């Protein structure tokens, strides 16, 4: 398998070697770019798509970011390998299903990935652990500049970067953060938050694209507008909205701790007990249990290093990862069994939940 | 509180100092008796009821069984104390709610109890751990003979022992066993078993009188007929039906172990995890979780001595017991909290479920 070393490495949510933080799992910026003299992928013929893939891979192979990294052609990957890359957010579901030439360049630490021949010729992505929008932007901006030195980007002085879909026109920038919001979910405030965020021109989705009932209480908040605002302004506006949500999540946790601690500890305790002793776990249930373990870490009930472990397991509990670990396609029931076995092993040595160590606020 | 020493002692399900057995928690025989020259309790006036209580208590106080035992007048007990006695099956709910003179004599080990002024003047009960119908019958028969030496029983040569309700006429005997049937419940065979048992003239109820959806998968099977059959014949017939049910339960467990072990281990594992880590437990959920722990012992996943502990907790998890432990009436929510705390403490030191030690059949 081509991606074995990549999958063996830590999943992207814990990339960059940084310890995981409370509430904000990761920040991400992606840029949509296209190359002049080729039609957009949706309008290109096979030969043109292959030329684009070749040109882009050639441009990227010498870049520092992809030293020891991976240049993967999607058509050469097995369905399971592509599924695992989707679960790591390294490629989109659309690219994984495409039947034309396409690919992805992934840095060794999986922080940087560049899709080729998705909706646009190039989709540059940089993801960092924790709340680091500025650094993330600066780093992807540097990569973009490097790429621009090697490739002739389609750019209009009037419109900015040209993209296949007008919703990406201009900056081509989508900045986002993955937030862990169990407090807002438990208090049933998420619908309100989603409405508020939408009104401010930002989108809310789950870890894998779901809506306000997101599995594991994980939500991705991103800008929707790419035109008429500078990159810095987009990032600044998103930042201030994220700060507001983080504060609301902290308040929600505080209220739950004050008003219904037994209910909260019951949820956390049961999740811990099931992870340690269950024998059948769907990926959705696993996500929800892990989410409560992340909260347990934030509250001081489990040691800090379990937060990074939980973030890794969020990804490794997904169906593609479970099957890659099993070295082949397996039925959902068998996946649930192997997932549970994995969780039992991961939590077998976990210390008892330490309620005496309860700390708050943990933001 | 009058019953403090009684409640501090082990609950009746584990009486007699015998270790708990798989499947059959306990066997019980009760005899309905009345005294000549007094109307049945339902037709007696206050003064007559008081005389009956006085006469019976006087007759019993010298009996060997009640040395170091308890002679309790129900009107002198608090509602909580009466509730706890009901939960221990030492008095009926009817006697606990009666507003006339009544009482119960309980032996020190709670194996023997005699209600006075329930539906009949006397209801003698003897309960033993495990499957011991013959011994139980012999012991209560001996007690009955002793009592008959001191009291003038209402008896007709033609009808046998006279009782307030014709359904008890004749032998006045009700023999029963408390069975733990999680295999038949999981396999959804219980409705069939109940139908079969009913057709054979026996009744099926839950631990606290429920039907075929009994909490904790605990069922009480008893004879319905008291007339036209000798005591030995009733007991023999009940025994053979119990043996048939036990065999069916063993088969059901075997089938589950063969066909869906992961589902079974998942149920048991989750129950173990929740008992060890939960913070809110209703009595019904506690019963269901404990039931799975009893099954875990039967299967060799937990040490044998946990079976006796589980049987004790079945009773001590009941609302009256939780409140007596808390030394006063408390709200259901607070009970759920204290019940969960108790379970966490009881299972904190439990060894990890040992699947390598799986043994079968465990009947």
């Amino acid at each position: 398998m081509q991606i074995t070393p990549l999958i063996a490495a830590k999943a992207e949510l814990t990339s960059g070697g940084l310890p995981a933080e409370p509430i904000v799992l990761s920040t991400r910026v992606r840029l949509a770019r296209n190359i002049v003299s080729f039609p957009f992928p949706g309008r290109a013929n096979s030969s043109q798509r292959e030329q684009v893939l070749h040109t882009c891979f050639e441009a990227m192979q010498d870049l520092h970011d992809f030293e020891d990294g991976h240049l993967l052609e999607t058509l050469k990957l097995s369905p399971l390998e592509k599924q695992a890359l989707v679960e790591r957010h390294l490629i989109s579901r659309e690219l994984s299903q495409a039947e034309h030439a396409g690919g992805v360049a992934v840095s060794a630490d999986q922080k940087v990935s560049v899709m080729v021949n998705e909706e646009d010729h190039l989709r540059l992505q940089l993801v960092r652990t924790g709340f680091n929008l500025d650094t993330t932007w600066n780093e992807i901006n540097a990569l973009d500049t490097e790429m621009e030195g090697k490739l002739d980007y389609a750019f209009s002085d009037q419109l900015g970067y040209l993209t296949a879909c007008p919703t990406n026109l201009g900056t081509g920038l989508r900045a986002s953060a993955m937030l862990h919001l169990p407090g807002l979910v438990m208090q049933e405030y998420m619908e309100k938050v989603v409405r508020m965020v939408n009104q401010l021109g930002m989108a809310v989705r789950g870890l894998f694209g779901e809506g306000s009932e997101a599995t594991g209480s994980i939500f991705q908040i991103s800008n929707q507008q790419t035109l008429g605002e500078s990159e810095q302004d987009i990032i600044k506006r998103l930042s201030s909205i994220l700060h507001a949500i983080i504060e609301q999540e902290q308040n929600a946790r505080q209220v739950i701790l004050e008003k219904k601690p037994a209910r909260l500890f019951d949820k956390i305790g049961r999740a811990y007990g099931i992870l340690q002793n269950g024998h059948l776990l769907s990926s959705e249930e696993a996500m929800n249990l892990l989410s409560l373990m992340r909260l347990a870490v934030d509250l001081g009930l489990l040691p800090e290093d379990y937060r990074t472990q939980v973030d890794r397991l969020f990804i490794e509990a997904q169906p593609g990862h479970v099957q890659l670990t099993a070295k082949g396609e397996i039925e959902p029931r068998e996946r649930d069994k192997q997932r549970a076995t994995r969780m039992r092993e991961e939590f077998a040595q976990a210390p008892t939940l330490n309620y005496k160590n309860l700390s708050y606020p943990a933001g």
Side-chain angles (χ1 to χ4, degrees), chain A:
Chain A
M1 292 209 219
Q2 284 195 66
I3 68 162
T4 305
L6 186 153
I7 294 298
K10 287 181 291 183
E12 48 81 32
L13 272 177
T14 52
S15 69
L18 297 171
E21 293 175 11
I23 301 182
V24 184
L25 281 82
S26 63
T27 22
R28 177 187 323 250
V29 178
R30 72 103 168 112
L31 299 172
R33 297 292 184 256
N34 289 279
I35 305 170
V36 291
S37 75
F38 286 104
F40 292 131
R43 303 209 143 232
N45 61 33
S46 311
S47 143
Q48 290 167 323
R49 288 197 197 108
E50 275 163 29
Q51 279 181 66
V52 167
L53 182 62
H54 181 75
T55 308
C56 293
F57 269 20
E58 201 170 65
M60 292 191 285
Q61 68 188 1
D62 299 329
L63 294 187
H64 176 71
D65 275 316
F66 302 110
E67 257 177 44
D68 308 318
H70 314 266
L71 294 178
L72 304 167
E73 290 183 41
T74 39
L75 291 182
K76 292 185 181 168
L77 298 174
S78 72
L80 264 189
E81 288 179 312
K82 284 189 279 192
Q83 192 179 343
L85 293 178
V86 171
E87 290 168 358
R88 290 198 176 203
H89 296 97
L90 294 172
I91 64 173
S92 63
R93 201 163 294 281
E94 291 66 32
L95 184 62
S96 80
Q97 287 160 355
E99 288 169 9
H100 60 246
V104 65
V106 183
S107 68
D109 62 3
Q110 298 172 50
K111 201 172 78 172
V112 182
S113 59
V114 178
M115 285 191 287
V116 182
N117 281 339
E118 211 253 13
E119 190 181 278
D120 294 296
H121 291 145
L122 289 161
R123 286 281 175 99
L124 291 64
Q125 170 181 280
L126 202 139
V127 57
R128 289 185 63 101
T129 304
F131 196 0
N132 276 298
L133 266 183
D134 290 328
T135 318
T136 308
W137 160 243
N138 290 334
E139 289 185 4
I140 201 168
N141 194 24
L143 171 67
D144 189 41
T145 307
E146 265 194 287
M147 298 272 285
E148 205 158 8
K150 291 176 174 279
L151 295 164
D152 201 1
Y153 280 171
F155 183 83
S156 137
D157 284 338
Q158 206 188 341
L159 296 170
Y161 291 101
L162 302 179
T163 55
C165 176
T167 58
N168 289 311
L169 200 62
T171 55
L173 179 143
R174 184 92 63 221
S176 68
M178 204 75 91
L179 303 188
H180 180 230
L181 306 174
L184 292 170
V185 171
M186 278 181 216
Q187 291 290 73
E188 296 177 3
Y189 291 161
M190 259 329 279
E191 266 189 50
K192 227 159 135 183
V193 170
V194 170
R195 233 180 359 254
M196 182 269 285
V197 171
N198 287 342
Q199 278 166 2
L200 294 169
M202 303 280 164
V204 182
R205 299 189 315 152
L207 178 55
F208 294 104
E210 322 89 306
S212 66
E213 292 296 311
T215 318
S217 301
I218 297 177
F219 298 87
Q220 189 180 324
I221 319 258
S222 63
N223 66 306
Q224 287 187 293
Q225 203 174 318
T226 56
L227 195 64
E229 222 179 352
S230 74
E231 287 89 344
Q232 286 82 353
D233 285 348
I234 293 172
I235 296 222
K236 209 164 132 191
R237 211 155 59 81
L238 178 63
S239 266
S240 71
I241 290 168
L242 292 175
H243 279 296
I245 298 173
I246 291 167
E247 202 185 314
Q248 290 192 25
E249 170 65 19
Q250 287 171 327
N251 290 344
R253 293 182 182 186
Q254 183 78 56
V255 169
I256 295 169
L257 271 178
E258 276 165 18
K259 301 223 167 139
K260 26 191 176 178
R263 190 172 152 246
L264 178 65
F265 298 157
D266 189 56
K267 273 171 173 282
I268 291 175
R270 283 166 187 260
Y272 175 88
I274 293 170
L275 285 166
Q276 250 183 2
N277 296 285
H279 282 255
L280 289 173
L281 278 181
S282 69
S283 57
E284 188 178 338
E285 186 181 11
M287 297 271 292
N288 288 330
L289 301 177
L290 289 167
S291 168
L292 286 159
M293 291 304 95
R294 199 178 210 277
L295 182 58
V297 177
D298 295 354
L299 299 176
L301 311 181
L302 276 178
E304 285 283 313
D305 49 347
Y306 273 86
R307 193 186 289 116
T308 302
Q309 179 177 351
V310 162
D311 286 0
R312 181 168 50 75
L313 291 173
F314 274 135
I315 301 303
E316 296 179 4
Q318 299 307 316
H321 276 74
V322 171
Q323 292 177 87
L324 274 185
T325 306
K327 299 188 198 308
E329 286 191 30
I330 47 178
E331 294 297 300
R333 182 73 173 187
E334 182 60 27
R335 293 208 290 267
D336 291 354
K337 225 167 110 178
Q338 299 201 10
R339 186 180 290 113
T341 303
R342 172 70 187 281
M343 293 299 160
R344 283 206 313 282
E345 288 165 3
E346 290 274 349
F347 285 91
Q349 303 304 325
T352 310
L353 294 169
N354 184 359
Y355 295 98
K356 281 181 195 140
N357 201 29
L358 184 66
S359 68
Y360 207 81

